[in-house]
Amino acid sequence: MLHRDGIDSLVLERQSRAHVLERIRAGVLEAGTVDLLRAIGLGERMDREGHPHDGSAIAWEGKPRFFIDTKKYTGKRMMAYGQTEITKDLYAARDAVGGPIIDEVSNVALHALTSSKPYVTYEKEGQSRRIDCDYVAGCDGYHGVSRASIPSDVLRTFERSYPFGWLGIMSETPPYPDLCYCYHSRGFALASMRNPMLSRYYIQCDLDARIEDWPDDRFWEELKARCPKDMADSIVVGPSIEKSIAPLRSVVAEPMRYGCLLLAGDAAHIVPPTGAKGLNLAVSDVFYLTRALTETLKSSRTHHLDRYSETALRRVWNAERMSWWLTMLIHQFPDEPPFERRLRENQFDYLHVSEHVQASLAEQYVGLPFEGY
Ligand SMILES: Cc1cc2nc3c(=O)[nH]c(=O)nc-3n(C[C@H](O)[C@H](O)[C@H](O)COP(=O)(O)OP(=O)(O)OC[C@H]3O[C@@H](n4cnc5c(N)ncnc54)[C@H](O)[C@@H]3O)c2cc1C
């Protein structure tokens, strides 16, 4: 996006390209993410190979399953298209214009971030190197160096951990036709998809669960036990091609700008995957970040740069709240007081009967528009 706006940039990546292109991660794209990818010329393969969908089903143990129709309430569609595929498309676009990506770097450090001459140092093949720049986009994920470069008396971190994780598998089988969230006394389950021959399924697991204790047969059996019978009967099982366990947590670091450093994506915030927001938030941050840098570097106006953190954070907190709400609604909580369990069940009943609540969830699920886009 910076290249399209005539701004030079250089990407430093800790991993090899092969490693990045093997990582399996998110895959449900909000309408705004889909529109942006199309607008910047990255929509062709997504439109050919992705799987558009119009909402999600909720199956609550012992109650009728129903569908939250995002298309009906918002007029917009979402798209199942793997993050790994988007990354491939991004590499291809970058290669096509000769944009530099320096991979397998180590010891990246950010310097003089509040001066007019910031610079970045790193090591590659045993040699130390330095890049002088105008701005640093801190897009290096939760464990990167960018957020850690903001002094602790400036940075505020808001955090919530949940007492469970998600065990996920990917299999080359036809997916269950709807993205379906299942609430069950054995624990939450989710049927999701990447393309017509790639399924993604998750089950809630204990925080100390270990992958080696979950061979495929045990996973499929437990998944099916948490789904309504007709759904379980139609799930096509097969060998997993990926299996992982992730703890669930919510984290927001503020501010997202410190001098010449602008944080984006997981470097600034983590959402539990329940709302499928992590990748989409990274995309909206990048939209705001590009707008801010383009305006400043092309016109010397700093209107969007000055407001980068507060604008991005408004959307971040919305996604945090929605993801927290859905996580609280649909999981089993160990030692939950009976009163809270009843409130949760009633929340579901309210969602089931009220078109207003469904419309509100649909609006957030499909994604709020980017401000000023
Ligand atoms: C296993 C898994 C499953 C997920 N599933 C979902 C999902 O279903 N739905 C959803 O919405 N979200 C999901 N997420 C979250 C989503 O993938 C992230 O929110 C998204 O990747 C954020 O993008 P990002 O670019 O900010 O960070 P990342 O994708 O983490 O990219 C950061 C990059 O920076 C590099 N890096 C890190 N440190 C350094 C350094 N010091 N120097 C140089 N480079 C560095 C990393 O190698 C990485 O390539 C999942 C995440 C994981 C890990």
Side-chain angles (χ1 to χ4, degrees), residues 282-323:
V283 170
S284 59
D285 288 350
V286 163
F287 167 78
Y288 292 131
L289 186 151
T290 306
R291 183 172 68 180
L293 292 187
T294 301
E295 180 197 51
T296 303
L297 293 168
K298 291 289 166 184
S299 72
S300 300
R301 282 198 304 270
T302 59
H303 174 87
H304 289 305
L305 185 65
D306 294 342
R307 287 161 188 77
Y308 172 67
S309 183
E310 67 180 77
T311 311
L313 281 168
R314 250 195 307 279
R315 207 165 185 288
V316 168
W317 275 110
N318 189 280
E320 290 285 354
R321 183 181 46 68
M322 182 269 188
S323 305

Side-chain angles (χ1 to χ4, degrees), residues 223-237:
L223 173 76
K224 289 184 170 204
R226 297 179 186 194
C227 303
K229 176 144 188 344
D230 65 313
M231 179 177 169
D233 289 346
S234 66
I235 288 177
V236 182
V237 305

Side-chain angles (χ1 to χ4, degrees), residues 12-15 19-20 23-28 83 91 102 105-108 138-146 166 190 192 194 200 202 242 244-246 264-283 285:
L12 292 179
E13 167 58 55
R14 189 182 50 174
Q15 304 285 359
H19 177 95
V20 171
R23 283 188 315 214
I24 305 279
R25 292 184 163 183
V28 178
Q83 180 171 343
Y91 270 119
I102 306 176
V105 300
S106 58
N107 288 333
V108 174
C139 309
D140 50 355
Y142 189 67
H143 301 288
V145 293
S146 298
W166 277 17
L190 172 65
S192 185
R194 292 293 180 266
R200 185 76 162 145
Y202 296 99
E242 192 264 357
S244 57
I245 292 181
D266 281 15
H269 40 73
I270 301 284
V271 281
T274 330
K277 294 293 179 206
L279 166 63
N280 292 296
L281 276 185
V283 170
D285 288 350

Side-chain angles (χ1 to χ4, degrees), residues 105-145:
V105 300
S106 58
N107 288 333
V108 174
L110 316 184
H111 307 273
L113 290 171
T114 52
S115 77
S116 59
K117 294 187 187 314
Y119 62 100
V120 177
T121 55
Y122 66 96
E123 284 172 26
K124 168 96 180 164
E125 290 158 354
Q127 294 205 328
S128 298
R129 301 188 191 176
R130 167 177 168 145
I131 304 164
D132 293 285
C133 56
D134 295 309
Y135 290 93
V136 178
C139 309
D140 50 355
Y142 189 67
H143 301 288
V145 293

